[in-house]
């Protein structure tokens, strides 16, 4: 381990630990006391705990994860598996510890579904963003990401969890449990994708101006963003034009618009959302990236 990787590993595991704490608190606070349908191996733990309260949910999840982690070792490699083992062990222990320390009272099921979905989605996003999973169907979804790389993680998690939701509804003899669980699952996956893909928002600007080179120089100087010249032609004038294309961070949109307007009030500016911007000043490509 080099001195450059040690601080990064420390940050990763701190982030995974915080996500595991939030995961466990969300589960014990919103899901268990309200019997909300929950996907994954945790759902099996809920079913067994419902049939026999002496069976700890976290322990059941821990045991059932063993064969899935063996499969993950083969396809994801050691680093991803070690971090996932840590996250799975942390969430399993914390779920049982939290339940032993305090029993949360039931609340309105819709409130539980909404706030449980938000908090659990944030927790899973924190854990997934560091290359880990909580095991079970989360790890299965991570494995499915290999052949279906174009699908967001949230959608994959939703796909593999829906069947377990139905099993929970049968065990609790409540269709409402599954219905509220589906609401919570939808919110969870939406928040998870937002944490994974939406926090680092980027934009792309296309600028048509009468002074392209001076404007490009000012964008580089003031915003520290490179500009690419695209060769275009005005359909009305028939004149050749240089169109500026510039990728930038969400927070830079206001100074960019001010700069363009100051240099050329007649400039034509188009700003578009950008997804997965890779390169200098943005994210770097990583193998098996989410």
């Amino acid at each position: 381990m080099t001195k450059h990787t040690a601080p990064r590993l420390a940050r990763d595991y701190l982030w995974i630990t915080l996500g595991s704490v939030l995961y466990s608190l969300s589960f014990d606070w919103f899901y268990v006391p309200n019997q909300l349908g929950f996907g994954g191996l945790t759902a099996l733990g809920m079913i067994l705990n419902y049939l026999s309260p002496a069976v700890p949910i976290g322990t059941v999840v821990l045991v059932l994860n063993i064969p899935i982690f063996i499969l993950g070792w083969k396809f994801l490699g050691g680093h991803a598996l070690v971090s996932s083992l840590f996250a799975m062990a942390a969430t399993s222990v914390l779920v049982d510890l939290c339940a032993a320390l305090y029993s949360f009272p039931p609340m309105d099921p819709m409130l539980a579904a909404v706030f449980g979905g938000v908090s659990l989605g944030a927790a899973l996003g924190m854990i997934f963003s560091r290359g880990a999973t909580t095991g079970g169907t989360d790890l299965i979804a991570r494995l499915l990401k290999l052949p279906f790389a174009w699908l967001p993680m949230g959608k994959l998690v939703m796909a593999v969890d829906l069947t377990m939701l139905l099993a929970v509804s049968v065990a609790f003899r409540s269709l409402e449990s599954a219905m509220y669980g589906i609401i919570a699952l939808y919110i969870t996956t939406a928040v998870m994708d937002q944490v994974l893909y939406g926090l680092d928002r980027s934009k792309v600007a296309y600028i048509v101006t009468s002074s392209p080179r001076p404007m490009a120089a000012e964008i580089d100087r003031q915003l520290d963003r490179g500009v690419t010249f695209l060769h275009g032609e005005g359909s009305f004038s028939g004149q050749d034009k240089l169109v500026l294309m510039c990728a930038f961070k969400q927070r830079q949109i206001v100074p960019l618009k001010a700069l363009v307007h100051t240099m050329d009030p007649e400039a034509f500016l188009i700003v578009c959302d950008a997804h997965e911007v890779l390169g200098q000043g943005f994210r770097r490509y990583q193998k098996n990236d989410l």
Side-chain angles (χ1 to χ4, degrees):
M1 181 185 299
T2 67
K3 62 181 181 180
H4 297 290
T5 59
R8 179 178 177 181
L9 282 175
R11 287 194 301 269
D12 287 348
Y13 279 91
L14 175 61
W15 203 243
I16 292 171
T17 301
L18 293 176
S20 299
V21 171
L22 181 58
Y23 178 102
S24 305
L25 184 62
S26 303
F27 182 75
D28 284 329
W29 188 357
F30 298 111
Y31 285 84
V32 175
N34 300 285
Q35 295 186 350
L36 290 185
F38 193 88
L41 295 183
T42 308
L44 292 179
M46 290 179 68
I47 294 172
L48 293 176
N49 179 262
Y50 177 75
L51 298 175
S52 177
V55 178
I57 295 175
T59 303
V60 172
V61 174
L62 196 64
V63 172
L64 293 177
N65 266 295
I66 294 175
I68 299 177
F69 270 91
I70 293 174
L71 190 64
W73 182 282
K74 177 179 180 181
F75 291 101
L76 296 180
H79 174 70
L81 193 62
V82 169
S83 60
S84 294
L85 278 169
F86 175 81
M88 183 268 293
T91 53
S92 299
V93 170
L94 289 171
V95 161
D96 288 345
L97 181 62
C98 205
L101 292 176
Y102 184 76
S103 297
F104 289 95
M107 65 174 68
D108 180 88
M110 182 57 74
L111 287 177
V114 172
F115 286 95
V118 170
S119 57
L120 195 73
L124 289 174
M126 292 168 65
I127 294 171
F128 276 122
S129 69
R130 300 299 166 170
T133 73
T134 58
T137 54
D138 291 343
L139 184 52
I140 293 174
R142 182 68 183 88
L143 291 168
L144 287 174
K145 182 71 175 177
L146 299 178
F148 301 105
W150 64 90
L151 289 176
M153 277 299 301
K155 299 298 186 293
L156 291 170
V157 170
M158 177 182 286
V160 296
D161 278 350
L162 281 175
T163 53
M164 297 311 303
L165 274 175
L166 298 177
V168 171
S169 68
V170 172
F172 291 154
R173 294 180 176 85
S174 172
L175 181 60
E176 289 185 357
S177 173
M179 294 171 69
Y180 284 121
I182 290 173
I183 293 173
L185 178 61
Y186 179 82
I187 295 173
T188 294
T189 54
V191 173
M192 184 198 313
D193 283 343
Q194 187 69 16
V195 172
L196 288 174
Y197 309 116
L199 291 182
D200 189 21
R201 292 183 180 274
S202 299
K203 301 283 187 180
V204 171
Y206 298 92
I207 308 167
V208 181
T209 174
S210 57
S211 53
R213 296 191 182 277
M215 187 173 292
E218 282 302 303
I219 291 174
D220 180 58
R221 186 182 69 85
Q222 295 187 30
L223 302 181
D224 193 26
R225 291 297 172 194
V227 175
T228 298
F229 291 118
L230 306 178
H231 293 274
E233 179 183 338
S235 63
F236 180 75
S237 65
Q239 296 179 349
D240 292 336
K241 294 179 179 290
L242 288 179
V243 179
L244 281 63
M245 183 183 74
C246 176
F248 59 97
K249 299 289 188 179
Q250 168 75 32
R251 63 180 179 273
Q252 295 177 307
I253 187 170
V254 173
L256 177 67
K257 290 194 294 185
L259 186 155
V260 172
H261 178 74
T262 300
M263 294 194 66
D264 183 3
E266 303 300 323
F268 195 71
L269 171 65
I270 303 173
V271 178
C272 308
D273 288 326
H275 181 60
E276 296 290 330
V277 180
L278 305 178
Q280 186 175 359
F282 296 90
R283 294 178 58 220
R284 293 292 183 182
Y285 171 77
Q286 296 181 5
K287 186 178 180 181
N288 295 330
D289 196 3
L290 294 177

